[in-house]
């Protein structure tokens, strides 16, 4: 699987100018082997696109050329002599969208668009790995799922791609529909509706409506893959019907197109039995937890609809392994002995923290060790944020956690709900929590790190991992 960076041409000057109805300045002939919107990560041969964000991308055109850009897409000419070939368009963000549309039009790839409250990046990655077993597959890097990332991913799609896998996210209402229409997917998939972005959307019903807007972009004859056992699944199904989609429901109830028949949880992996379009299979997933069974069901349903077989999806799920920030376990030799760091700091929601705690309870620890969790604030939960944090307390008790460390003002609500016996320390932010943990962790302990990305609990995980180097 690749992200569109090829040794051959991705865009020629002529094709790019035609796609955006732009004007070539300084040179009529150049070849871009990739696209970049950030001069810091630009690779030689990239076309640099000068977008307006917190900073104006035009300020970094000279730096882009110094790093090897083949050309720069701009909406105004620089003062004085240009540092390299330019492609002039009226609006660089619209030009990026136009490049994406042109890339879609010239490529026969089957396209998948994925959204959901939790799990969308994981499903994107595993489905991309599954489809790559069958043909050239282009997929979004990291979580490139916003108004910049989606058109960039589309514009990076090589013409020879057989499959394209796109992630679509949102922060506010009416953000998904235009991105879905840009991708025009053959299959649109929703992972799960959960209490995320409540601050902007108010309630789960509005979240479901926003996620359901992904079906409005479906190509003719397209399919809608949706979670039948998710909150407000009826709203998702209605959105799919309104779009004229073939509906693929996945979940645990009888009669669904994709059904989880059995699930056996383990500390490092899980066993699943499924029925997809009437065909049964039993296999292992190389990562623990019920969310992976749910995500795996979505992957297999999508794979089977796109290719006629779930086997590539099964192979990808069996090869799965937790990655840093997403549940990877790492032994660390600290100042007080060896402990295990479970880094799940990439993001957090009430659902994902609950699942992480369930998995922690299954993990084997040393007889003299303790289960410890370090949690950062769950963000964007709206007026009920304190209640969502307090509601973690019984889940912590069920997971038989010995000590809880918490960071952030929202976690204060959980802290006050916990019995004194499991209170480790509470700090105003992630950085302030680090010294408490370094001094507390001892031989045999296992610690889970989790929090919303904005709570910066990844810094806690990084600090603990660094102990192994000293």
């Amino acid at each position: 699987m690749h992200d569109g960076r090829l040794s051959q041409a991705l865009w020629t000057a002529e094709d790019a100018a035609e796609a955006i109805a732009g004007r070539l300045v300084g040179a009529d002939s150049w070849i871009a082997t990739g696209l970049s919107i950030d001069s810091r990560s630009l690779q030689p041969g990239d076309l640099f696109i000068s977008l307006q964000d917190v900073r104006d991308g035009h300020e970094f055109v000279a730096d882009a050329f110094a790093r090897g850009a083949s050309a720069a897409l701009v909406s105004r000419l620089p003062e004085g002599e240009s540092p390299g070939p330019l492609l002039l368009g009226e609006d660089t963000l619209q030009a990026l969208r136009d490049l994406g549309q042109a890339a879609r039009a010239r490529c026969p790839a089957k396209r998948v668009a994925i959204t959901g409250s939790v799990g969308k990046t994981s499903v994107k990655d595993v489905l991309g790995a599954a489809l790559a077993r069958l043909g050239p597959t282009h997929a979004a890097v990291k979580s490139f799922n916003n108004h910049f990332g989606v058109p960039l991913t589309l514009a990076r799609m090589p013409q020879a791609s057989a499959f394209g896998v796109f992630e679509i996210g949102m922060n506010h209402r009416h953000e998904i529909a235009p991105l879905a229409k840009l991708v025009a997917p053959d299959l649109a998939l929703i992972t799960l509706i959960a209490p995320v972005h409540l601050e902007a959307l108010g309630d789960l019903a509005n979240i479901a409506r926003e996620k359901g807007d992904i079906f409005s972009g479906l190509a003719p004859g397209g399919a809608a893959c949706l979670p039948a056992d998710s909150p407000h699944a009826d709203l998702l199904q209605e959105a799919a019907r309104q779009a004229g989609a073939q509906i693929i429901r996945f979940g645990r109830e009888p009669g669904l197109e994709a059904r989880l028949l059995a699930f056996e949880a383990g500390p490092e992996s899980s066993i699943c039995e499924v029925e997809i379009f009437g065909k049964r299979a039993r296999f292992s997933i190389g990562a623990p937890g019920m969310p992976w069974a749910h995500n795996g069901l979505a992957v297999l349903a999508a794979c089977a609809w796109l290719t006629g077989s779930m086997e590539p999806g099964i192979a990808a799920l069996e090869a799965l392994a937790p990655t840093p920030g997403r549940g990877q376990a790492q032994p660390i030799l600290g100042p007080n002995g060896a402990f295990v760091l479970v880094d799940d700091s990439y993001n957090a929601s009430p659902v994902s923290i609950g699942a992480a705690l369930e998995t922690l309870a299954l993990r084997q620890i040393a007889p003299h060790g303790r289960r410890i969790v370090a949690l950062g604030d769950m963000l964007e939960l709206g007026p009920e944020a304190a209640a969502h944090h307090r509601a973690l307390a019984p889940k912590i008790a069920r997971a038989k956690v010995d000590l809880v460390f918490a960071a952030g003002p929202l976690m204060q609500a959980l802290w006050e709900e916990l019995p004194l016996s499991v209170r480790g320390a509470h700090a105003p932010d992630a950085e302030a929590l680090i010294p408490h943990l370094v001094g507390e962790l001892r031989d045999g302990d296992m610690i889970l790190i989790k929090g919303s990305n904005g709570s910066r609990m990844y810094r806690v995980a990084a600090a603990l991992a660094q102990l192994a180097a000293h």
Side-chain angles (χ1 to χ4, degrees):
M1 187 168 61
H2 50 71
D3 68 354
R5 192 169 309 288
L6 301 176
S7 58
Q8 65 266 32
L10 181 64
W11 289 99
T12 65
E14 181 181 10
D15 288 344
E18 181 180 357
I20 74 162
R23 178 163 63 93
L24 296 168
V25 178
D28 293 333
S29 179
W30 43 261
I31 290 174
T33 54
L35 299 179
S36 175
I37 61 173
D38 187 339
S39 64
R40 296 168 298 180
S41 58
L42 181 142
Q43 299 296 307
D46 279 354
L47 168 63
F48 177 67
I49 302 171
S50 309
L51 296 176
Q52 178 71 51
D53 195 17
V54 177
R55 298 281 299 274
D56 185 348
H58 290 79
E59 298 175 18
F60 304 99
V61 169
D63 183 53
F65 280 114
R67 294 172 185 263
S70 59
L73 172 58
V74 298
S75 61
R76 63 178 185 270
L77 297 178
E79 295 182 6
E81 186 175 349
S82 171
L86 302 175
L87 173 56
L88 183 63
E90 290 187 12
D91 180 303
T92 52
L93 179 54
Q94 183 55 50
L96 177 58
R97 296 189 192 107
D98 292 340
L99 285 173
Q101 287 182 318
R104 187 190 74 205
R106 71 183 184 179
C107 176
K110 290 286 188 182
R111 297 177 302 279
V112 183
I114 300 167
T115 193
S117 299
V118 291
K120 53 186 176 291
T121 302
S122 298
V123 169
K124 178 263 297 181
D125 289 341
V126 179
L127 181 58
L131 296 174
R133 295 170 180 268
L134 300 176
T137 299
H138 173 73
V141 295
K142 300 180 182 178
S143 295
F144 278 26
N145 62 20
N146 64 4
H147 62 296
F148 290 161
V150 173
L152 178 63
T153 301
L154 192 58
R156 284 175 168 176
M157 183 166 62
Q159 192 168 353
S161 300
F163 302 99
V165 186
F166 302 85
E167 180 180 337
I168 298 181
M170 61 88 184
N171 290 308
H172 298 89
R173 190 74 174 99
H174 306 303
E175 290 183 342
I176 285 180
L179 297 176
K181 290 172 183 175
L182 182 64
V183 174
D186 299 284
L187 173 71
L189 187 156
I190 298 175
T191 57
L192 185 68
I193 304 301
V196 179
H197 303 304
L198 286 174
E199 193 168 52
L201 291 167
D203 58 32
L204 284 177
N206 278 334
I207 292 173
R209 292 184 184 97
E210 176 64 16
K211 298 299 183 181
D213 281 353
I214 195 171
F215 301 140
S216 67
L218 278 169
C225 190
L226 55 90
D229 47 10
S230 177
H232 300 291
D234 57 328
L235 294 177
L236 302 181
Q237 292 192 54
E238 179 58 27
R241 282 192 290 269
Q242 290 288 334
Q246 176 186 343
I247 298 176
I248 304 167
R249 302 161 300 164
F250 61 93
R252 305 199 72 162
E253 297 300 318
L256 301 178
E257 290 75 19
R259 186 183 173 201
L260 180 65
L261 301 175
F263 171 73
E264 300 172 18
E268 305 297 338
S269 62
S270 305
I271 302 295
C272 293
E273 185 176 351
V274 301
E275 184 177 67
I276 311 289
F277 298 126
K279 295 182 179 179
R280 293 195 176 197
R282 184 178 173 86
F283 58 93
S284 64
I285 298 178
M290 174 57 83
W292 267 115
H294 185 272
N295 291 342
L297 198 59
V299 167
L300 295 183
C303 196
W305 187 84
L306 288 163
T307 73
S309 172
M310 60 176 142
E311 293 305 320
I314 289 174
L317 289 165
E318 290 183 332
L320 184 65
T323 55
R326 296 179 182 272
Q328 186 180 73
Q330 178 185 3
I332 304 290
L333 182 58
N336 302 320
F339 64 91
V340 176
L341 168 64
V342 181
D343 179 7
D344 204 359
S345 60
Y346 175 77
N347 219 334
S349 68
V351 171
S352 65
I353 288 185
L357 289 168
E358 289 177 5
T359 300
L360 180 65
L362 294 172
R363 292 183 183 271
Q364 295 294 318
I365 64 170
H368 58 282
R370 300 167 297 171
R371 288 185 176 85
I372 299 173
V373 296
L375 302 176
D377 287 347
M378 301 181 292
L379 303 177
E380 300 183 39
L381 293 178
E384 299 301 315
H388 285 295
H389 284 75
R390 281 194 296 271
L392 295 176
K395 298 177 182 179
I396 287 170
R398 286 195 296 271
K400 299 180 180 179
V401 172
D402 296 288
L403 276 179
V404 177
F405 291 80
L410 293 174
M411 275 296 165
Q412 182 70 37
L414 168 64
W415 186 253
E416 294 170 354
E417 197 76 10
L418 294 171
L420 292 174
S421 60
V422 299
R423 291 185 184 180
H426 178 268
D429 54 46
E431 288 84 352
L433 192 64
I434 293 170
H436 296 283
L437 289 168
V438 171
E440 177 64 39
L441 291 169
R442 62 186 189 224
D443 191 66
D445 287 347
M446 177 176 289
I447 179 167
L448 167 70
I449 311 289
K450 198 154 180 65
S452 286
N453 194 49
S455 71
R456 300 181 177 180
M457 291 299 287
Y458 55 82
R459 295 188 177 181
V460 177
L464 297 182
Q466 280 296 312
L467 295 176
H470 298 288

